[in-house]
C-alpha cells in the first residue's frame, strides 16, 4: 500500500531544491555582476586615459592648392582664405577682392592669424595695418599707413595687441630696428638704439632682439620711450626667435640646430634660459619658428628641410619632412593651431593638419618637476584649469602627495586608538561588555563623511586655530596621562581593584583624562606667552618657516581618523578574537603574564589580520572625498608640514570634474587620477583579503573559529 505522505514530501523536497538552485544562481550572478561592473569601470577609465599618451602628428596635403602668382602671404578668416601679392593686390578663392596699395610694393608682412590685425611692410619704409571686424574678416578699405623707416624697405615685421591698441616692431635690411605704439587714435614711433638680425615682440611692449650670439630685451612704453631690461649671450649664433602663447616664454633657435626655451624672470626683469633641452632636428641651422596659439606648441624648420612639432614642457612631439626644402614665403595658422598654411616660393599653398590635442602631457610633465612660467626653479604644480593665457600645470605629484599625506595622518590618529580598543575588547573585556561595546563603535561608521567634514571644517578648525598650543599639548598629555593613571591604579591596594567592577575602572579613567584636557586647554594662553612670545603661529613662521592654514593636515587627520576608526577596530578585533584561546591559555599556564602573552603570542598570531585591517583602513582613507574637501584648504602643495593645506585626488575630482570640458586634456587627466585611485584601492583591498584568507587558513590548524 502506498504511503499518502511520501508524494507531498518528495514534491516539497524538489521545490526546495529548485529554490536552492535559483538562489545559488541569483547569488552567483550578482557576484559576477559586481565583478564585471568593477572591471568595466577600470576598462572605461583606461580607455578614457589612453588618448593622453597618443603621439602627435602633422599631416601635409599631398596635393597643394595653387596660389595666386606672386603671393606673399596667406590670410585666414572665417569665410575662407585671402592671398596678398607683392604688387598689393588681394585675392580670394573667387578672384581679386581689392587693391591694398598700387605703389609702393609689398616687401613683407606679419604672420597671419585669425585674431590679430595684418601689418604689411612696404618698400618705402611704411607699414599698412589692416583691422578686423567682429567676425574676424579683414576690413581692407580701413587699412591705415604709418611711417616706420625713412626710406629703407621693411624687411621683417612683428605685431601684437595691447590694452588699447597694438604695438609693432620691424627692421630693415641693414638691421635697423624701429617700433610703433598705437593707442587707439595715433601711433608713436620708437627708434631702437641697437641693430638686430631677428626680432620677437611680446604683449605690452616686450621686444627681444638677436644679433649674433647676443640676446637683448627691451621694454617699449606707450609714451614712446624705450628701456633695456636684460642682455644675455648664447653658445651659438641665433637664427630664429618666437614667443609662445602668453608671451612669457621665448623659443630660440641657433645655427647648430639647437632649440632652447627662455622664460621671463619671476620679477619680470628680463629673460633667463630654462634648463629644458629639446631634441634637435639635426645639425642644420633653425630657419623658421611658428608659434601655434594653443598649448604652447610651435613648429620648427631647419635649413635641411626637416620639420618638427614641439611643446614647451614635453619637448618634441613629432618630426618629419617639410613640404618643400626651400623656406616658405609665409606660415600662418588658424585660431586653434590645428590648421597651418605654407606658401612656398613657387606659389604653391600647402595645408598642414596638426593633431596634438594632448601634446602637453607626458610622463615627465606628470611626474617630474618642471620650470613653469613665473617660477624661479623646478617645481611640481597642479593648475590644469588655468584661464586665459596662463600656463596650465599638469603635475599629478601634488595631488598624489596630498592623498598620501591625508591618509598617513589619518592613520596616525586612527591606528593607536582603534588597535588599543580592539586589544582591550578582544583580550581583556568580558563577553557581555564586548557585546555592548563592539556594536557601539561599529555604529560610528554610519556617520556620513559630509557631516564629519562639516563639523571639522566649521567647528574643529576654528577651535584649534584659537587654542593651537593647548591642542598640541593634548597629544602629549593624554598618552602620558593614560600611562600615569594606569601606573597609579596598579599602585593602589588590591582591595580597591576587587571592589570596583571593570566598567567602573574605565569610567574612573575618563575623569582624570577629562581634567587633563581641560588643564591643557586652559594653560594654552600662558604656554604661548611664556615660550612662543604670545603667538605660536607667528613663532613657527619666523623660526621654522612654517605657515599655518586654518584647514590643514592636522584637522583632516583628526576628522578622517575618526571615520577610519570603526573599520580598523572591527577588522582588528575580529583578528584578535580569532586567535585560538588555547594559545593564550598555554602561555599563561607556562607562567607568562597577561602582558607577555599579549605581546609574544596573541599579537604575533593576529598580525596578518591586523595588517589587513590597517591596509583596508588606509584604502578607505585614500578614497575619502567629502572630509578632505571640507576640512582642508584644497591647495595642491608639496609641503610636509602638518599645519598647511593639501588637495587629494578624490577631492580634486569633486572640485574640477564638473567644470572640465568632456574629452579635453583636463577632463582626461581627472580620469587618470580616478584610475590611479581605482588601481590603488583595488590592489590594497586585494592584498588585505589575501592576508585575511591566509590568516583564517592558518587558524584552522589550531581549531580556531572560522
Amino acid at each position: 500500500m502506498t504511503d499518502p505522505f511520501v508524494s507531498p514530501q518528495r514534491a516539497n523536497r524538489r521545490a526546495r531544491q529548485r529554490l536552492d538552485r535559483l538562489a545559488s544562481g541569483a547569488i552567483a550572478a550578482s557576484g559576477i555582476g559586481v565583478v564585471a561592473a568593477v572591471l568595466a569601470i577600470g576598462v572605461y577609465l583606461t580607455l578614457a586615459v589612453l588618448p593622453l599618451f597618443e603621439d602627435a602628428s602633422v599631416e601635409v596635403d599631398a596635393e597643394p592648392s595653387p596660389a595666386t602668382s606672386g603671393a606673399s602671404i596667406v590670410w585666414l578668416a572665417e569665410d575662407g582664405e585671402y592671398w596678398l601679392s607683392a604688387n598689393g593686390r588681394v585675392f580670394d578663392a573667387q578672384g581679386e577682392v581689392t587693391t591694398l596699395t598700387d605703389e609702393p610694393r609689398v616687401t613683407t608682412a606679419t604672420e597671419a592669424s585669425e585674431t590679430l590685425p595684418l601689418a604689411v611692410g612696404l618698400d618705402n619704409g611704411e607699414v599698412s595695418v589692416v583691422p578686423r571686424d567682429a567676425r574676424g574678416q579683414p576690413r581692407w578699405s580701413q587699412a591705415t599707413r604709418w611711417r616706420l623707416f625713412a626710406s629703407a624697405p621693411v624687411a621683417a615685421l612683428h605685431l601684437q595687441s595691447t590694452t588699447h591698441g597694438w604695438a609693432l616692431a620691424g627692421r630693415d635690411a641693414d638691421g635697423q630696428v624701429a617700433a610703433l605704439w598705437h593707442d587707439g587714435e595715433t601711433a608713436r614711433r620708437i627708434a631702437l638704439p641697437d641693430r638686430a638680425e631677428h626680432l620677437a615682440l611680446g604683449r605690452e611692449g616686450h621686444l627681444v632682439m638677436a644679433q649674433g650670439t647676443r640676446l637683448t630685451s627691451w621694454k617699449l612704453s606707450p609714451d614712446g620711450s624705450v628701456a633695456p631690461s636684460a642682455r644675455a649671450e648664447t653658445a651659438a649664433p641665433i637664427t630664429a626667435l618666437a614667443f609662445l602663447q602668453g608671451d612669457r616664454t621665448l623659443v630660440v633657435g641657433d645655427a647648430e640646430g639647437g632649440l632652447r626655451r627662455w622664460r621671463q624672470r619671476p620679477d619680470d626683469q628680463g629673460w633667463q634660459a630654462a634648463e629644458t633641452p629639446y631634441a634637435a632636428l639635426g645639425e642644420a641651422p633653425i630657419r623658421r619658428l611658428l608659434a601655434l596659439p594653443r598649448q604652447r606648441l610651435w613648429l620648427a624648420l631647419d635649413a635641411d628641410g626637416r620639420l618638427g612639432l614641439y611643446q614647451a614642457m614635453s619637448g618634441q612631439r613629432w618630426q618629419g619632412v617639410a613640404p618643400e626644402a626651400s623656406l616658405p614665403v609665409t606660415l600662418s595658422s588658424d585660431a586653434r593651431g590645428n590648421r597651418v598654411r605654407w606658401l612656398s616660393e613657387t606659389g604653391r599653398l600647402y595645408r598642414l593638419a596638426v593633431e596634438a590635442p594632448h601634446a602637453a602631457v607626458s610622463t615627465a610633465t606628470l611626474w617630474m618637476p618642471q620650470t613653469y612660467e613665473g617660477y624661479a626653479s623646478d617645481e611640481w604644480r597642479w593648475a590644469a584649469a588655468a584661464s586665459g593665457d596662463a600656463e596650465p600645470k599638469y603635475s599629478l605629484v601634488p595631488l598624489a602627495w596630498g592623498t598620501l599625506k591625508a591618509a598617513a595622518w589619518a592613520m596616525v590618529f586612527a591606528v593607536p586608538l582603534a588597535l588599543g580598543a580592539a586589544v582591550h575588547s578582544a583580550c581583556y573585556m568580558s563577553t557581555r561588555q564586548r557585546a555592548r561595546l563592539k556594536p557601539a563603535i561599529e555604529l560610528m561608521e554610519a556617520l556620513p563623511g559630509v557631516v564629519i567634514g562639516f563639523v571639522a571644517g566649521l567647528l574643529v578648525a576654528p577651535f584649534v586655530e584659537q587654542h593651537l598650543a593647548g591642542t598640541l599639548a593634548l597629544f602629549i598629555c593624554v598618552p602620558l596621562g593614560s600611562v600615569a593613571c594606569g601606573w597609579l591604579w596598579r599602585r593602589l591596594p588590591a582591595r580597591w581593584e576587587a571592589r570596583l567592577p571593570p566598567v567602573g575602572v574605565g569610567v574612573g579613567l575618563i575623569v582624570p583624562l577629562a581634567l587633563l584636557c581641560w588643564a591643557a586647554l586652559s594653560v594654552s594662553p600662558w604656554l604661548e606667552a611664556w615660550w612662543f612670545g604670545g603667538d605660536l603661529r607667528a613663532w613657527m613662521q619666523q623660526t621654522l618657516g612654517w605657515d599655518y592654514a586654518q584647514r590643514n593636515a592636522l584637522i583632516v587627520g583628526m576628522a578622517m581618523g575618526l571615520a577610519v576608526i570603526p573599520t580598523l577596530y572591527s577588522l582588528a578585533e575580529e583578528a584578535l578574537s580569532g586567535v585560538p584561546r588555547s594559545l593564550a591559555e598555554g602561555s599563561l599556564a607556562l607562567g607568562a603574564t597577561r602582558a607577555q602573552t599579549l605581546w609574544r603570542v596573541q599579537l604575533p598570531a593576529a598580525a596578518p589580520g591586523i595588517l589587513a585591517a590597517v591596509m583596508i583602513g588606509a584604502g578607505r582613507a585614500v578614497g575619502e572625498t567629502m572630509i578632505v574637501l571640507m576640512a582642508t584648504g584644497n591647495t595642491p602643495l608639496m609641503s610636509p608640514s602638518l599645519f598647511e593645506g593639501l588637495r587629494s585626488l578624490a577631492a580634486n575630482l569633486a572640485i574640477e570634474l564638473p567644470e572640465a570640458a568632456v574629452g579635453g586634456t583636463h577632463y582626461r587627466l581627472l580620469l587618470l587620477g580616478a584610475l590611479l585611485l581605482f588601481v590603488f584601492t583595488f590592489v590594497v583591498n586585494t592584498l588585505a583579503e589575501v592576508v585575511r584568507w591566509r590568516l583564517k587558513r592558518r587558524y584552522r590548524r589550531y581549531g580556531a573559529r572560522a
Side-chain angles (χ1 to χ4, degrees):
M1 183 176 179
T2 304
D3 189 351
F5 295 100
V6 173
S7 180
Q9 290 178 356
R10 290 179 178 175
N12 292 336
R13 186 166 57 252
R14 287 195 295 270
R16 286 195 300 268
Q17 290 175 352
R18 285 194 295 269
L19 290 175
D20 289 342
R21 288 195 295 269
L22 181 62
S24 300
I27 293 173
S30 300
I32 294 173
V34 171
V35 174
V38 172
L39 293 178
I41 293 174
V43 171
Y44 168 77
L45 291 175
T46 302
L47 293 178
V49 166
L50 285 178
L52 285 174
F53 304 99
E54 291 180 353
D55 294 333
S57 64
V58 178
E59 297 182 0
V60 181
D61 193 343
E63 298 180 359
S65 302
T68 304
S69 177
S72 62
I73 193 167
V74 179
W75 178 280
L76 298 178
E78 290 184 0
D79 59 346
E81 300 169 347
Y82 296 88
W83 291 268
L84 177 63
S85 65
N87 58 10
R89 302 173 68 186
V90 180
F91 299 85
D92 62 5
Q94 286 73 36
E96 183 176 350
V97 175
T98 185
T99 300
L100 184 63
T101 175
D102 293 327
E103 290 292 338
R105 295 179 61 83
V106 174
T107 57
T108 186
T110 56
E111 291 178 346
S113 70
E114 292 185 2
T115 56
L116 294 175
L118 174 67
V120 179
L122 307 177
D123 61 1
N124 66 347
E126 293 183 344
V127 293
S128 180
V129 180
V130 183
R132 286 180 179 270
D133 59 16
R135 299 179 56 190
Q137 297 179 353
R139 299 176 179 175
W140 304 105
S141 61
Q142 298 182 16
T144 56
R145 287 193 186 183
W146 307 92
R147 174 65 59 180
L148 188 63
F149 298 106
S151 58
V154 180
L157 278 178
H158 296 271
L159 183 142
Q160 280 290 352
S161 60
T162 61
T163 304
H164 302 290
W166 45 262
L168 181 146
R171 65 172 180 84
D172 60 13
D174 295 332
Q176 185 66 41
V177 180
L180 293 174
W181 189 289
H182 190 270
D183 59 5
E185 296 181 359
T186 60
R188 291 185 175 86
R189 183 179 182 276
I190 305 173
L192 277 297
D194 203 354
R195 295 181 180 270
E197 298 175 351
H198 306 281
L199 302 176
L201 180 63
R203 294 182 183 177
E204 304 304 329
H206 290 284
L207 177 63
V208 178
M209 302 162 50
Q211 178 76 20
T213 60
R214 187 178 74 251
L215 194 68
T216 309
S217 178
W218 301 82
K219 183 65 174 69
L220 309 180
S221 299
D223 59 1
S225 62
V226 61
S229 57
R231 292 178 181 268
E233 292 288 335
T234 59
I238 299 171
T239 56
L241 296 174
F243 274 108
L244 299 186
Q245 176 190 4
D247 297 330
R248 293 180 62 86
T249 296
L250 179 73
V251 179
V252 179
D254 59 41
E256 297 178 356
L259 289 167
R260 181 168 290 276
R261 177 170 63 101
W262 288 66
R263 55 186 173 82
Q264 196 169 4
R265 296 180 184 272
D267 55 2
D268 292 340
Q269 299 298 318
W271 301 81
Q272 62 185 14
E275 297 300 327
T276 309
Y278 299 113
L281 296 173
E283 297 181 355
I286 301 296
R287 291 303 184 190
R288 200 66 173 269
L289 295 173
L290 173 64
L292 302 180
R294 297 288 180 91
Q295 299 192 71
R296 284 162 175 75
L297 288 165
W298 76 87
L299 285 171
L301 174 68
D302 68 3
D304 290 341
R306 286 183 285 262
L307 187 66
L309 179 68
Y310 291 83
Q311 204 278 332
M313 289 295 174
S314 57
Q316 189 182 82
R317 309 301 294 174
W318 175 87
Q319 181 173 343
V321 180
E324 291 188 4
S326 60
L327 293 178
V329 175
T330 184
L331 280 174
S332 57
S333 68
D334 62 356
R336 294 186 177 182
N338 296 331
R339 296 180 301 156
V340 175
R341 300 297 186 265
W342 174 299
L343 184 63
S344 68
E345 293 180 348
T346 60
R348 307 186 73 184
L349 178 64
Y350 295 88
R351 294 175 173 85
L352 282 67
V354 180
E355 292 293 335
H358 312 296
V361 177
S362 66
T363 304
T365 57
L366 291 178
W367 303 109
M368 299 299 293
Q370 302 291 326
T371 306
Y372 299 106
E373 294 176 353
Y375 292 85
S377 59
D378 293 349
E379 295 188 24
W380 288 285
R381 291 283 175 177
W382 170 267
S387 59
D389 288 330
E391 182 180 32
K393 304 168 184 63
Y394 293 144
S395 178
L396 293 177
V397 176
L399 304 180
W401 172 263
T403 302
L404 298 178
K405 180 180 178 181
W409 283 112
M411 300 306 291
V412 167
F413 282 92
V415 168
L417 297 175
L419 294 188
V423 168
H424 184 71
S425 61
C427 302
Y428 292 94
M429 273 190 175
S430 65
T431 305
R432 183 178 179 183
Q433 291 176 342
R434 178 171 170 257
R436 294 177 179 176
L437 177 65
K438 185 176 180 181
I441 296 180
E442 291 178 345
L443 190 62
M444 293 170 53
E445 198 164 6
L447 285 174
V450 64
V451 174
I452 299 176
F454 175 83
V455 173
L458 298 184
L459 298 179
V460 177
F463 179 84
V464 172
E465 184 180 23
Q466 294 178 4
H467 305 85
L468 181 59
T471 303
L472 297 179
L474 286 178
F475 300 128
I476 300 175
C477 294
V478 172
L480 295 180
S482 300
V483 174
C485 289
W487 180 81
L488 290 174
W489 175 255
R490 299 304 299 172
R491 301 296 295 178
L492 293 176
R495 64 178 182 272
W496 287 35
E497 183 177 358
R499 293 178 180 177
L500 287 176
V503 177
V505 177
V507 173
L509 181 61
I510 294 176
V511 175
L513 290 181
L515 292 175
L516 281 174
C517 295
W518 173 81
L521 295 175
S522 299
V523 300
S524 172
W526 287 275
L527 289 176
E528 292 194 65
W530 291 339
W531 293 344
F532 306 110
D535 192 343
L536 177 56
R537 288 176 295 167
W539 181 86
M540 288 192 302
Q541 173 65 36
Q542 298 173 1
T543 306
L544 305 177
W546 294 353
D547 293 327
Y548 183 87
Q550 186 185 79
R551 301 181 182 185
N552 50 46
L554 175 64
I555 304 301
V556 85
M558 292 190 293
M560 200 152 62
L562 179 65
V564 173
I565 281 177
T567 302
L568 275 174
Y569 167 80
S570 179
L571 297 176
E573 201 275 341
E574 288 181 3
L576 287 165
S577 298
V579 176
R581 290 187 177 274
S582 58
L583 295 179
E585 292 171 355
S587 175
L588 294 172
L590 292 174
T593 64
R594 295 180 66 181
Q596 290 173 335
T597 300
L598 174 65
W599 285 104
R600 301 294 181 86
V601 177
Q602 291 175 297
L603 286 180
I610 295 175
L611 177 61
V614 173
M615 293 172 64
I616 293 177
R620 163 82 159 77
V622 166
E624 178 59 46
T625 302
M626 294 309 300
I627 295 178
V628 182
L629 186 65
M630 302 179 71
T632 67
N634 291 306
T635 51
L637 301 176
M638 284 289 297
S639 172
S641 174
L642 179 63
F643 306 107
E644 291 186 350
L646 53 90
R647 178 182 289 191
S648 67
L649 288 167
N652 191 63
L653 278 170
I655 294 171
E656 299 187 4
L657 191 59
E659 301 178 359
V662 176
T665 301
H666 184 198
Y667 176 82
R668 296 188 185 277
L669 283 173
L670 293 176
L671 294 186
L672 176 59
L675 180 61
L676 294 176
L677 285 176
F678 177 85
V679 172
F680 180 85
T681 54
F682 181 82
V683 171
V684 168
N685 290 335
T686 301
L687 291 177
E689 191 60 31
V690 169
V691 170
R692 293 180 65 189
W693 177 78
R694 294 187 63 182
L695 174 67
K696 290 184 177 181
R697 188 179 63 175
R698 176 182 177 184
Y699 285 167
R700 290 193 186 102
R701 297 200 300 264
Y702 299 98
R705 301 187 303 270

